Each structure stands twice: as C-alpha cells, then as structure tokens.
Amino acid sequence: MYQRLERSHGNVLGYEITSKITEDEYKQLTDELRARITEHGSVRLLVRTQGFPTAELSALDDDLRFAKEHLSDIDRCAFVGDEKSVELLVKASDKVVSTRARHFAPEDEEDAWAWLEE
C-alpha cells in the first residue's frame, strides 16, 4: 500500500510505502508519475518506507517497462527509512543509473525534502 504525501507539489512528489504494492496501486502510481513527467519534463521523488519497498510479482513487468521508459526522467530520488538494505540499494544504484539517489534516516526527512526542492 502507498500514499502520496501532502507536501508533494509540482514535480516534487513524496510517497509513503507501508506494505507490498499491488499491481493496481503500481499502475496508479506510475500513471501519476507519467503525468507529472509530461507536465514538468522530470520529477524528483521522496520514498518513505519501513523496510525494503516491494511490489506484487505481477507488477514487476510494469516496473521494468516504466524504468526503461522513464528512469532518465527522475532527476533525484530520496529514500527515507532506517533499513540498511535501502541504503545499500541507493549506493548500488549510483553505480548503474544516472538518477541521483540518496538515503536519509527518518529523523532527517526534512533534509530530504530540502535536497529535492533545491
């Protein structure tokens, strides 16, 4: 399950992921991202999560398609959470994709928003 955060505005979007995302939820999320990319040219994302964000297996094909089409349209991505696995994912992604990603501890979420809004 996910929820868009109230602080989202323009091309800066924040989401809280509280459990596994269903295929329908993933479609809603990517439709919103595509619309914002079309409107603004790129987006900046904040993902607040407890644990590693996951999706139903049926959503993985959509995930790969979205990444192939729009990964370069995500300018920055801030992951907010305690999990070491999220921090490792961010470090690994820096080696593979052009999107600038950073990990922030939950108490540093305000810094994450500030980084996205620069």
Side-chain angles (χ1 to χ4, degrees), residues 7 9 11-13 43-47 74-80 90 93-94 97-105 108-118:
R7 188 161 172 177
H9 62 280
N11 73 330
V12 178
L13 301 169
V43 293
R44 294 179 174 196
L45 299 177
L46 181 138
V47 178
I74 300 172
D75 183 42
R76 295 181 182 190
C77 190
F79 288 93
V80 177
V90 169
S93 73
D94 284 344
V97 297
S98 61
T99 300
R100 292 191 300 178
R102 288 181 57 188
H103 173 256
F104 294 85
D108 298 326
E109 184 172 324
E110 185 60 36
D111 293 336
W113 283 106
W115 179 66
L116 293 173
E117 294 169 338
E118 314 183 313

PDB file of all heavy atoms in Angstrom, residues 7 9 11-13 43-47 74-80 90 93-94 97-105 108-118:
ATOM      1  N   ARG A   7       2.910  17.013   1.226  1.00  0.00           N
ATOM      2  CA  ARG A   7       3.903  18.022   0.849  1.00  0.00           C
ATOM      3  C   ARG A   7       4.238  17.983  -0.641  1.00  0.00           C
ATOM      4  O   ARG A   7       4.905  18.879  -1.157  1.00  0.00           O
ATOM      5  CB  ARG A   7       5.169  17.824   1.677  1.00  0.00           C
ATOM      6  CG  ARG A   7       6.176  18.935   1.495  1.00  0.00           C
ATOM      7  CD  ARG A   7       7.166  18.977   2.608  1.00  0.00           C
ATOM      8  NE  ARG A   7       8.228  19.913   2.326  1.00  0.00           N
ATOM      9  CZ  ARG A   7       9.196  20.171   3.165  1.00  0.00           C
ATOM     10  NH1 ARG A   7       9.227  19.571   4.325  1.00  0.00           N
ATOM     11  NH2 ARG A   7      10.149  21.029   2.850  1.00  0.00           N
ATOM     12  N   HIS A   9       4.307  18.589  -4.477  1.00  0.00           N
ATOM     13  CA  HIS A   9       3.908  19.766  -5.253  1.00  0.00           C
ATOM     14  C   HIS A   9       4.718  19.801  -6.548  1.00  0.00           C
ATOM     15  O   HIS A   9       5.869  19.369  -6.578  1.00  0.00           O
ATOM     16  CB  HIS A   9       4.134  21.052  -4.454  1.00  0.00           C
ATOM     17  CG  HIS A   9       5.564  21.281  -4.096  1.00  0.00           C
ATOM     18  ND1 HIS A   9       6.169  20.647  -3.035  1.00  0.00           N
ATOM     19  CD2 HIS A   9       6.522  22.056  -4.662  1.00  0.00           C
ATOM     20  CE1 HIS A   9       7.430  21.030  -2.958  1.00  0.00           C
ATOM     21  NE2 HIS A   9       7.674  21.881  -3.948  1.00  0.00           N
ATOM     22  N   ASN A  11       6.765  19.171  -9.516  1.00  0.00           N
ATOM     23  CA  ASN A  11       7.472  17.959  -9.931  1.00  0.00           C
ATOM     24  C   ASN A  11       8.161  17.259  -8.750  1.00  0.00           C
ATOM     25  O   ASN A  11       8.929  16.326  -8.940  1.00  0.00           O
ATOM     26  CB  ASN A  11       8.503  18.271 -11.028  1.00  0.00           C
ATOM     27  CG  ASN A  11       9.722  18.993 -10.515  1.00  0.00           C
ATOM     28  OD1 ASN A  11       9.656  19.750  -9.545  1.00  0.00           O
ATOM     29  ND2 ASN A  11      10.844  18.772 -11.159  1.00  0.00           N
ATOM     30  N   VAL A  12       7.884  17.700  -7.527  1.00  0.00           N
ATOM     31  CA  VAL A  12       8.426  17.058  -6.324  1.00  0.00           C
ATOM     32  C   VAL A  12       7.315  16.241  -5.683  1.00  0.00           C
ATOM     33  O   VAL A  12       6.314  16.791  -5.223  1.00  0.00           O
ATOM     34  CB  VAL A  12       8.976  18.106  -5.323  1.00  0.00           C
ATOM     35  CG1 VAL A  12       9.496  17.424  -4.068  1.00  0.00           C
ATOM     36  CG2 VAL A  12      10.071  18.941  -5.976  1.00  0.00           C
ATOM     37  N   LEU A  13       7.500  14.931  -5.699  1.00  0.00           N
ATOM     38  CA  LEU A  13       6.457  14.025  -5.213  1.00  0.00           C
ATOM     39  C   LEU A  13       6.995  13.151  -4.093  1.00  0.00           C
ATOM     40  O   LEU A  13       8.119  12.652  -4.181  1.00  0.00           O
ATOM     41  CB  LEU A  13       5.972  13.120  -6.352  1.00  0.00           C
ATOM     42  CG  LEU A  13       5.401  13.842  -7.565  1.00  0.00           C
ATOM     43  CD1 LEU A  13       5.216  12.868  -8.713  1.00  0.00           C
ATOM     44  CD2 LEU A  13       4.077  14.485  -7.200  1.00  0.00           C
ATOM     45  N   VAL A  43      10.813  14.524 -12.721  1.00  0.00           N
ATOM     46  CA  VAL A  43      10.282  14.551 -11.368  1.00  0.00           C
ATOM     47  C   VAL A  43      11.407  14.297 -10.373  1.00  0.00           C
ATOM     48  O   VAL A  43      12.471  13.787 -10.719  1.00  0.00           O
ATOM     49  CB  VAL A  43       9.159  13.506 -11.149  1.00  0.00           C
ATOM     50  CG1 VAL A  43       7.921  13.843 -11.961  1.00  0.00           C
ATOM     51  CG2 VAL A  43       9.639  12.102 -11.438  1.00  0.00           C
ATOM     52  N   ARG A  44      11.134  14.670  -9.139  1.00  0.00           N
ATOM     53  CA  ARG A  44      12.004  14.375  -8.001  1.00  0.00           C
ATOM     54  C   ARG A  44      11.134  13.645  -6.987  1.00  0.00           C
ATOM     55  O   ARG A  44      10.029  14.105  -6.679  1.00  0.00           O
ATOM     56  CB  ARG A  44      12.596  15.652  -7.410  1.00  0.00           C
ATOM     57  CG  ARG A  44      13.534  16.336  -8.392  1.00  0.00           C
ATOM     58  CD  ARG A  44      14.104  17.603  -7.829  1.00  0.00           C
ATOM     59  NE  ARG A  44      15.097  18.141  -8.768  1.00  0.00           N
ATOM     60  CZ  ARG A  44      15.969  19.053  -8.447  1.00  0.00           C
ATOM     61  NH1 ARG A  44      16.011  19.549  -7.222  1.00  0.00           N
ATOM     62  NH2 ARG A  44      16.840  19.482  -9.337  1.00  0.00           N
ATOM     63  N   LEU A  45      11.636  12.534  -6.475  1.00  0.00           N
ATOM     64  CA  LEU A  45      10.822  11.663  -5.631  1.00  0.00           C
ATOM     65  C   LEU A  45      11.385  11.517  -4.230  1.00  0.00           C
ATOM     66  O   LEU A  45      12.593  11.404  -4.051  1.00  0.00           O
ATOM     67  CB  LEU A  45      10.738  10.261  -6.232  1.00  0.00           C
ATOM     68  CG  LEU A  45      10.118  10.103  -7.604  1.00  0.00           C
ATOM     69  CD1 LEU A  45      10.207   8.656  -8.050  1.00  0.00           C
ATOM     70  CD2 LEU A  45       8.672  10.563  -7.566  1.00  0.00           C
ATOM     71  N   LEU A  46      10.479  11.471  -3.262  1.00  0.00           N
ATOM     72  CA  LEU A  46      10.804  11.053  -1.917  1.00  0.00           C
ATOM     73  C   LEU A  46      10.008   9.785  -1.651  1.00  0.00           C
ATOM     74  O   LEU A  46       8.798   9.755  -1.888  1.00  0.00           O
ATOM     75  CB  LEU A  46      10.435  12.126  -0.894  1.00  0.00           C
ATOM     76  CG  LEU A  46      10.782  11.770   0.559  1.00  0.00           C
ATOM     77  CD1 LEU A  46      11.360  12.978   1.278  1.00  0.00           C
ATOM     78  CD2 LEU A  46       9.594  11.222   1.312  1.00  0.00           C
ATOM     79  N   VAL A  47      10.677   8.745  -1.201  1.00  0.00           N
ATOM     80  CA  VAL A  47      10.014   7.486  -0.861  1.00  0.00           C
ATOM     81  C   VAL A  47      10.297   7.211   0.608  1.00  0.00           C
ATOM     82  O   VAL A  47      11.433   6.967   0.986  1.00  0.00           O
ATOM     83  CB  VAL A  47      10.520   6.322  -1.738  1.00  0.00           C
ATOM     84  CG1 VAL A  47       9.840   5.019  -1.337  1.00  0.00           C
ATOM     85  CG2 VAL A  47      10.289   6.620  -3.216  1.00  0.00           C
ATOM     86  N   ILE A  74      13.634  10.853 -13.921  1.00  0.00           N
ATOM     87  CA  ILE A  74      13.636  11.024 -12.476  1.00  0.00           C
ATOM     88  C   ILE A  74      14.968  11.670 -12.118  1.00  0.00           C
ATOM     89  O   ILE A  74      16.012  11.040 -12.151  1.00  0.00           O
ATOM     90  CB  ILE A  74      13.439   9.681 -11.743  1.00  0.00           C
ATOM     91  CG1 ILE A  74      12.098   9.058 -12.159  1.00  0.00           C
ATOM     92  CG2 ILE A  74      13.505   9.884 -10.236  1.00  0.00           C
ATOM     93  CD1 ILE A  74      11.892   7.650 -11.656  1.00  0.00           C
ATOM     94  N   ASP A  75      14.897  12.951 -11.804  1.00  0.00           N
ATOM     95  CA  ASP A  75      16.103  13.745 -11.564  1.00  0.00           C
ATOM     96  C   ASP A  75      16.786  13.364 -10.250  1.00  0.00           C
ATOM     97  O   ASP A  75      17.997  13.206 -10.198  1.00  0.00           O
ATOM     98  CB  ASP A  75      15.730  15.229 -11.568  1.00  0.00           C
ATOM     99  CG  ASP A  75      16.920  16.132 -11.406  1.00  0.00           C
ATOM    100  OD1 ASP A  75      17.965  15.870 -12.026  1.00  0.00           O
ATOM    101  OD2 ASP A  75      16.801  17.123 -10.654  1.00  0.00           O
ATOM    102  N   ARG A  76      16.007  13.244  -9.196  1.00  0.00           N
ATOM    103  CA  ARG A  76      16.533  12.897  -7.874  1.00  0.00           C
ATOM    104  C   ARG A  76      15.537  11.993  -7.164  1.00  0.00           C
ATOM    105  O   ARG A  76      14.330  12.122  -7.359  1.00  0.00           O
ATOM    106  CB  ARG A  76      16.736  14.141  -7.007  1.00  0.00           C
ATOM    107  CG  ARG A  76      17.780  15.073  -7.518  1.00  0.00           C
ATOM    108  CD  ARG A  76      17.928  16.255  -6.592  1.00  0.00           C
ATOM    109  NE  ARG A  76      18.918  17.175  -7.150  1.00  0.00           N
ATOM    110  CZ  ARG A  76      19.413  18.196  -6.500  1.00  0.00           C
ATOM    111  NH1 ARG A  76      19.026  18.445  -5.258  1.00  0.00           N
ATOM    112  NH2 ARG A  76      20.299  18.976  -7.064  1.00  0.00           N
ATOM    113  N   CYS A  77      16.069  11.132  -6.310  1.00  0.00           N
ATOM    114  CA  CYS A  77      15.210  10.253  -5.524  1.00  0.00           C
ATOM    115  C   CYS A  77      15.786  10.143  -4.120  1.00  0.00           C
ATOM    116  O   CYS A  77      16.945   9.757  -3.946  1.00  0.00           O
ATOM    117  CB  CYS A  77      15.109   8.874  -6.174  1.00  0.00           C
ATOM    118  SG  CYS A  77      13.848   7.831  -5.422  1.00  0.00           S
ATOM    119  N   ALA A  78      14.992  10.516  -3.133  1.00  0.00           N
ATOM    120  CA  ALA A  78      15.396  10.437  -1.728  1.00  0.00           C
ATOM    121  C   ALA A  78      14.627   9.295  -1.074  1.00  0.00           C
ATOM    122  O   ALA A  78      13.400   9.260  -1.115  1.00  0.00           O
ATOM    123  CB  ALA A  78      15.084  11.752  -1.014  1.00  0.00           C
ATOM    124  N   PHE A  79      15.354   8.345  -0.503  1.00  0.00           N
ATOM    125  CA  PHE A  79      14.741   7.247   0.237  1.00  0.00           C
ATOM    126  C   PHE A  79      14.883   7.557   1.721  1.00  0.00           C
ATOM    127  O   PHE A  79      16.004   7.788   2.206  1.00  0.00           O
ATOM    128  CB  PHE A  79      15.427   5.917  -0.080  1.00  0.00           C
ATOM    129  CG  PHE A  79      15.127   5.413  -1.458  1.00  0.00           C
ATOM    130  CD1 PHE A  79      15.970   5.725  -2.516  1.00  0.00           C
ATOM    131  CD2 PHE A  79      14.001   4.643  -1.703  1.00  0.00           C
ATOM    132  CE1 PHE A  79      15.696   5.268  -3.794  1.00  0.00           C
ATOM    133  CE2 PHE A  79      13.724   4.182  -2.975  1.00  0.00           C
ATOM    134  CZ  PHE A  79      14.574   4.491  -4.030  1.00  0.00           C
ATOM    135  N   VAL A  80      13.773   7.571   2.432  1.00  0.00           N
ATOM    136  CA  VAL A  80      13.778   7.869   3.859  1.00  0.00           C
ATOM    137  C   VAL A  80      13.372   6.614   4.605  1.00  0.00           C
ATOM    138  O   VAL A  80      12.269   6.095   4.406  1.00  0.00           O
ATOM    139  CB  VAL A  80      12.809   9.028   4.191  1.00  0.00           C
ATOM    140  CG1 VAL A  80      12.772   9.282   5.688  1.00  0.00           C
ATOM    141  CG2 VAL A  80      13.192  10.284   3.427  1.00  0.00           C
ATOM    142  N   VAL A  90      20.571   2.298  -2.593  1.00  0.00           N
ATOM    143  CA  VAL A  90      20.911   3.636  -3.079  1.00  0.00           C
ATOM    144  C   VAL A  90      22.367   3.673  -3.528  1.00  0.00           C
ATOM    145  O   VAL A  90      22.682   4.197  -4.597  1.00  0.00           O
ATOM    146  CB  VAL A  90      20.630   4.699  -1.995  1.00  0.00           C
ATOM    147  CG1 VAL A  90      21.219   6.046  -2.389  1.00  0.00           C
ATOM    148  CG2 VAL A  90      19.136   4.815  -1.756  1.00  0.00           C
ATOM    149  N   SER A  93      22.670   1.791  -6.810  1.00  0.00           N
ATOM    150  CA  SER A  93      22.040   2.469  -7.945  1.00  0.00           C
ATOM    151  C   SER A  93      22.926   3.578  -8.484  1.00  0.00           C
ATOM    152  O   SER A  93      22.896   3.876  -9.676  1.00  0.00           O
ATOM    153  CB  SER A  93      20.667   3.022  -7.559  1.00  0.00           C
ATOM    154  OG  SER A  93      20.789   4.153  -6.721  1.00  0.00           O
ATOM    155  N   ASP A  94      23.714   4.209  -7.615  1.00  0.00           N
ATOM    156  CA  ASP A  94      24.627   5.259  -8.067  1.00  0.00           C
ATOM    157  C   ASP A  94      25.610   4.754  -9.109  1.00  0.00           C
ATOM    158  O   ASP A  94      26.082   5.512  -9.951  1.00  0.00           O
ATOM    159  CB  ASP A  94      25.415   5.834  -6.885  1.00  0.00           C
ATOM    160  CG  ASP A  94      24.588   6.774  -6.031  1.00  0.00           C
ATOM    161  OD1 ASP A  94      23.518   7.217  -6.498  1.00  0.00           O
ATOM    162  OD2 ASP A  94      25.003   7.062  -4.899  1.00  0.00           O
ATOM    163  N   VAL A  97      22.710   3.824 -12.614  1.00  0.00           N
ATOM    164  CA  VAL A  97      21.765   4.734 -13.267  1.00  0.00           C
ATOM    165  C   VAL A  97      22.179   6.184 -13.053  1.00  0.00           C
ATOM    166  O   VAL A  97      22.931   6.514 -12.136  1.00  0.00           O
ATOM    167  CB  VAL A  97      20.321   4.518 -12.745  1.00  0.00           C
ATOM    168  CG1 VAL A  97      19.831   3.136 -13.086  1.00  0.00           C
ATOM    169  CG2 VAL A  97      20.225   4.779 -11.266  1.00  0.00           C
ATOM    170  N   SER A  98      21.649   7.061 -13.903  1.00  0.00           N
ATOM    171  CA  SER A  98      22.010   8.472 -13.832  1.00  0.00           C
ATOM    172  C   SER A  98      21.192   9.241 -12.791  1.00  0.00           C
ATOM    173  O   SER A  98      21.556  10.354 -12.438  1.00  0.00           O
ATOM    174  CB  SER A  98      21.819   9.120 -15.202  1.00  0.00           C
ATOM    175  OG  SER A  98      20.464   9.035 -15.595  1.00  0.00           O
ATOM    176  N   THR A  99      20.107   8.685 -12.308  1.00  0.00           N
ATOM    177  CA  THR A  99      19.299   9.349 -11.301  1.00  0.00           C
ATOM    178  C   THR A  99      20.118   9.521 -10.025  1.00  0.00           C
ATOM    179  O   THR A  99      20.745   8.581  -9.561  1.00  0.00           O
ATOM    180  CB  THR A  99      18.037   8.505 -10.974  1.00  0.00           C
ATOM    181  OG1 THR A  99      17.264   8.352 -12.155  1.00  0.00           O
ATOM    182  CG2 THR A  99      17.203   9.159  -9.898  1.00  0.00           C
ATOM    183  N   ARG A 100      20.126  10.723  -9.490  1.00  0.00           N
ATOM    184  CA  ARG A 100      20.829  10.944  -8.226  1.00  0.00           C
ATOM    185  C   ARG A 100      19.925  10.475  -7.099  1.00  0.00           C
ATOM    186  O   ARG A 100      18.789  10.938  -6.964  1.00  0.00           O
ATOM    187  CB  ARG A 100      21.192  12.406  -8.065  1.00  0.00           C
ATOM    188  CG  ARG A 100      22.251  12.829  -9.079  1.00  0.00           C
ATOM    189  CD  ARG A 100      22.812  14.182  -8.792  1.00  0.00           C
ATOM    190  NE  ARG A 100      21.749  15.196  -8.827  1.00  0.00           N
ATOM    191  CZ  ARG A 100      21.953  16.472  -8.567  1.00  0.00           C
ATOM    192  NH1 ARG A 100      23.137  16.906  -8.225  1.00  0.00           N
ATOM    193  NH2 ARG A 100      20.970  17.329  -8.640  1.00  0.00           N
ATOM    194  N   ALA A 101      20.413   9.541  -6.306  1.00  0.00           N
ATOM    195  CA  ALA A 101      19.642   8.981  -5.205  1.00  0.00           C
ATOM    196  C   ALA A 101      20.427   9.121  -3.911  1.00  0.00           C
ATOM    197  O   ALA A 101      21.652   9.013  -3.897  1.00  0.00           O
ATOM    198  CB  ALA A 101      19.326   7.511  -5.472  1.00  0.00           C
ATOM    199  N   ARG A 102      19.694   9.385  -2.838  1.00  0.00           N
ATOM    200  CA  ARG A 102      20.306   9.489  -1.519  1.00  0.00           C
ATOM    201  C   ARG A 102      19.411   8.816  -0.494  1.00  0.00           C
ATOM    202  O   ARG A 102      18.191   8.798  -0.638  1.00  0.00           O
ATOM    203  CB  ARG A 102      20.512  10.953  -1.126  1.00  0.00           C
ATOM    204  CG  ARG A 102      21.630  11.610  -1.911  1.00  0.00           C
ATOM    205  CD  ARG A 102      21.882  13.052  -1.526  1.00  0.00           C
ATOM    206  NE  ARG A 102      22.173  13.220  -0.110  1.00  0.00           N
ATOM    207  CZ  ARG A 102      22.280  14.411   0.479  1.00  0.00           C
ATOM    208  NH1 ARG A 102      22.117  15.518  -0.227  1.00  0.00           N
ATOM    209  NH2 ARG A 102      22.540  14.513   1.753  1.00  0.00           N
ATOM    210  N   HIS A 103      20.046   8.300   0.537  1.00  0.00           N
ATOM    211  CA  HIS A 103      19.333   7.696   1.657  1.00  0.00           C
ATOM    212  C   HIS A 103      19.351   8.678   2.826  1.00  0.00           C
ATOM    213  O   HIS A 103      20.377   9.310   3.092  1.00  0.00           O
ATOM    214  CB  HIS A 103      20.022   6.388   2.068  1.00  0.00           C
ATOM    215  CG  HIS A 103      19.442   5.801   3.311  1.00  0.00           C
ATOM    216  ND1 HIS A 103      20.082   5.880   4.518  1.00  0.00           N
ATOM    217  CD2 HIS A 103      18.273   5.154   3.534  1.00  0.00           C
ATOM    218  CE1 HIS A 103      19.340   5.291   5.432  1.00  0.00           C
ATOM    219  NE2 HIS A 103      18.242   4.849   4.877  1.00  0.00           N
ATOM    220  N   PHE A 104      18.210   8.822   3.497  1.00  0.00           N
ATOM    221  CA  PHE A 104      18.096   9.685   4.665  1.00  0.00           C
ATOM    222  C   PHE A 104      17.461   8.890   5.797  1.00  0.00           C
ATOM    223  O   PHE A 104      16.514   8.123   5.572  1.00  0.00           O
ATOM    224  CB  PHE A 104      17.206  10.903   4.364  1.00  0.00           C
ATOM    225  CG  PHE A 104      17.773  11.852   3.354  1.00  0.00           C
ATOM    226  CD1 PHE A 104      17.586  11.624   1.998  1.00  0.00           C
ATOM    227  CD2 PHE A 104      18.489  12.971   3.754  1.00  0.00           C
ATOM    228  CE1 PHE A 104      18.101  12.495   1.044  1.00  0.00           C
ATOM    229  CE2 PHE A 104      19.010  13.849   2.796  1.00  0.00           C
ATOM    230  CZ  PHE A 104      18.824  13.606   1.454  1.00  0.00           C
ATOM    231  N   ALA A 105      17.957   9.078   7.006  1.00  0.00           N
ATOM    232  CA  ALA A 105      17.335   8.470   8.184  1.00  0.00           C
ATOM    233  C   ALA A 105      15.987   9.150   8.428  1.00  0.00           C
ATOM    234  O   ALA A 105      15.786  10.304   8.016  1.00  0.00           O
ATOM    235  CB  ALA A 105      18.243   8.651   9.396  1.00  0.00           C
ATOM    236  N   ASP A 108      15.840  12.678   9.498  1.00  0.00           N
ATOM    237  CA  ASP A 108      16.389  13.647   8.548  1.00  0.00           C
ATOM    238  C   ASP A 108      15.479  13.872   7.335  1.00  0.00           C
ATOM    239  O   ASP A 108      15.926  14.383   6.312  1.00  0.00           O
ATOM    240  CB  ASP A 108      17.769  13.185   8.062  1.00  0.00           C
ATOM    241  CG  ASP A 108      18.776  13.099   9.196  1.00  0.00           C
ATOM    242  OD1 ASP A 108      18.693  13.925  10.128  1.00  0.00           O
ATOM    243  OD2 ASP A 108      19.636  12.198   9.165  1.00  0.00           O
ATOM    244  N   GLU A 109      14.199  13.537   7.470  1.00  0.00           N
ATOM    245  CA  GLU A 109      13.286  13.682   6.331  1.00  0.00           C
ATOM    246  C   GLU A 109      13.201  15.124   5.844  1.00  0.00           C
ATOM    247  O   GLU A 109      13.109  15.372   4.640  1.00  0.00           O
ATOM    248  CB  GLU A 109      11.890  13.161   6.669  1.00  0.00           C
ATOM    249  CG  GLU A 109      10.963  13.220   5.482  1.00  0.00           C
ATOM    250  CD  GLU A 109       9.622  12.535   5.709  1.00  0.00           C
ATOM    251  OE1 GLU A 109       9.563  11.499   6.394  1.00  0.00           O
ATOM    252  OE2 GLU A 109       8.625  13.044   5.157  1.00  0.00           O
ATOM    253  N   GLU A 110      13.256  16.079   6.746  1.00  0.00           N
ATOM    254  CA  GLU A 110      13.214  17.487   6.327  1.00  0.00           C
ATOM    255  C   GLU A 110      14.393  17.810   5.410  1.00  0.00           C
ATOM    256  O   GLU A 110      14.242  18.529   4.422  1.00  0.00           O
ATOM    257  CB  GLU A 110      13.210  18.404   7.551  1.00  0.00           C
ATOM    258  CG  GLU A 110      13.045  19.867   7.200  1.00  0.00           C
ATOM    259  CD  GLU A 110      11.750  20.187   6.458  1.00  0.00           C
ATOM    260  OE1 GLU A 110      10.712  19.568   6.739  1.00  0.00           O
ATOM    261  OE2 GLU A 110      11.790  21.064   5.572  1.00  0.00           O
ATOM    262  N   ASP A 111      15.566  17.247   5.701  1.00  0.00           N
ATOM    263  CA  ASP A 111      16.732  17.433   4.838  1.00  0.00           C
ATOM    264  C   ASP A 111      16.500  16.810   3.465  1.00  0.00           C
ATOM    265  O   ASP A 111      16.949  17.345   2.446  1.00  0.00           O
ATOM    266  CB  ASP A 111      17.987  16.816   5.468  1.00  0.00           C
ATOM    267  CG  ASP A 111      18.427  17.532   6.730  1.00  0.00           C
ATOM    268  OD1 ASP A 111      18.091  18.724   6.900  1.00  0.00           O
ATOM    269  OD2 ASP A 111      19.104  16.888   7.557  1.00  0.00           O
ATOM    270  N   ALA A 112      15.799  15.676   3.435  1.00  0.00           N
ATOM    271  CA  ALA A 112      15.488  15.017   2.163  1.00  0.00           C
ATOM    272  C   ALA A 112      14.603  15.914   1.308  1.00  0.00           C
ATOM    273  O   ALA A 112      14.860  16.096   0.114  1.00  0.00           O
ATOM    274  CB  ALA A 112      14.812  13.665   2.419  1.00  0.00           C
ATOM    275  N   TRP A 113      13.558  16.483   1.914  1.00  0.00           N
ATOM    276  CA  TRP A 113      12.689  17.403   1.163  1.00  0.00           C
ATOM    277  C   TRP A 113      13.487  18.598   0.657  1.00  0.00           C
ATOM    278  O   TRP A 113      13.324  19.026  -0.493  1.00  0.00           O
ATOM    279  CB  TRP A 113      11.518  17.864   2.034  1.00  0.00           C
ATOM    280  CG  TRP A 113      10.428  16.846   2.188  1.00  0.00           C
ATOM    281  CD1 TRP A 113      10.169  16.108   3.292  1.00  0.00           C
ATOM    282  CD2 TRP A 113       9.459  16.463   1.211  1.00  0.00           C
ATOM    283  NE1 TRP A 113       9.092  15.288   3.066  1.00  0.00           N
ATOM    284  CE2 TRP A 113       8.633  15.486   1.799  1.00  0.00           C
ATOM    285  CE3 TRP A 113       9.211  16.842  -0.103  1.00  0.00           C
ATOM    286  CZ2 TRP A 113       7.581  14.885   1.122  1.00  0.00           C
ATOM    287  CZ3 TRP A 113       8.157  16.247  -0.789  1.00  0.00           C
ATOM    288  CH2 TRP A 113       7.350  15.280  -0.177  1.00  0.00           C
ATOM    289  N   ALA A 114      14.333  19.157   1.509  1.00  0.00           N
ATOM    290  CA  ALA A 114      15.125  20.322   1.117  1.00  0.00           C
ATOM    291  C   ALA A 114      16.016  19.984  -0.064  1.00  0.00           C
ATOM    292  O   ALA A 114      16.161  20.793  -1.004  1.00  0.00           O
ATOM    293  CB  ALA A 114      15.963  20.818   2.302  1.00  0.00           C
ATOM    294  N   TRP A 115      16.640  18.811  -0.063  1.00  0.00           N
ATOM    295  CA  TRP A 115      17.501  18.387  -1.163  1.00  0.00           C
ATOM    296  C   TRP A 115      16.705  18.267  -2.465  1.00  0.00           C
ATOM    297  O   TRP A 115      17.155  18.683  -3.529  1.00  0.00           O
ATOM    298  CB  TRP A 115      18.165  17.051  -0.808  1.00  0.00           C
ATOM    299  CG  TRP A 115      19.055  16.502  -1.877  1.00  0.00           C
ATOM    300  CD1 TRP A 115      20.225  17.042  -2.336  1.00  0.00           C
ATOM    301  CD2 TRP A 115      18.862  15.307  -2.621  1.00  0.00           C
ATOM    302  NE1 TRP A 115      20.759  16.242  -3.321  1.00  0.00           N
ATOM    303  CE2 TRP A 115      19.940  15.174  -3.507  1.00  0.00           C
ATOM    304  CE3 TRP A 115      17.875  14.326  -2.618  1.00  0.00           C
ATOM    305  CZ2 TRP A 115      20.062  14.098  -4.389  1.00  0.00           C
ATOM    306  CZ3 TRP A 115      17.983  13.254  -3.486  1.00  0.00           C
ATOM    307  CH2 TRP A 115      19.082  13.155  -4.365  1.00  0.00           C
ATOM    308  N   LEU A 116      15.494  17.735  -2.366  1.00  0.00           N
ATOM    309  CA  LEU A 116      14.654  17.593  -3.571  1.00  0.00           C
ATOM    310  C   LEU A 116      14.182  18.944  -4.080  1.00  0.00           C
ATOM    311  O   LEU A 116      14.000  19.126  -5.285  1.00  0.00           O
ATOM    312  CB  LEU A 116      13.442  16.705  -3.269  1.00  0.00           C
ATOM    313  CG  LEU A 116      13.750  15.235  -2.961  1.00  0.00           C
ATOM    314  CD1 LEU A 116      12.478  14.527  -2.514  1.00  0.00           C
ATOM    315  CD2 LEU A 116      14.371  14.551  -4.162  1.00  0.00           C
ATOM    316  N   GLU A 117      13.974  19.878  -3.189  1.00  0.00           N
ATOM    317  CA  GLU A 117      13.404  21.175  -3.551  1.00  0.00           C
ATOM    318  C   GLU A 117      14.465  22.211  -3.944  1.00  0.00           C
ATOM    319  O   GLU A 117      14.100  23.325  -4.328  1.00  0.00           O
ATOM    320  CB  GLU A 117      12.541  21.703  -2.395  1.00  0.00           C
ATOM    321  CG  GLU A 117      11.308  20.833  -2.176  1.00  0.00           C
ATOM    322  CD  GLU A 117      10.555  21.143  -0.893  1.00  0.00           C
ATOM    323  OE1 GLU A 117      11.152  21.716   0.049  1.00  0.00           O
ATOM    324  OE2 GLU A 117       9.367  20.809  -0.841  1.00  0.00           O
ATOM    325  N   GLU A 118      15.766  21.872  -3.882  1.00  0.00           N
ATOM    326  CA  GLU A 118      16.813  22.842  -4.252  1.00  0.00           C
ATOM    327  C   GLU A 118      16.682  23.258  -5.698  1.00  0.00           C
ATOM    328  O   GLU A 118      16.386  22.502  -6.553  1.00  0.00           O
ATOM    329  CB  GLU A 118      18.233  22.277  -4.137  1.00  0.00           C
ATOM    330  CG  GLU A 118      18.591  21.545  -2.961  1.00  0.00           C
ATOM    331  CD  GLU A 118      20.047  21.099  -2.929  1.00  0.00           C
ATOM    332  OE1 GLU A 118      20.589  20.563  -3.914  1.00  0.00           O
ATOM    333  OE2 GLU A 118      20.632  21.279  -1.869  1.00  0.00           O
TER     334      GLU A 118
END
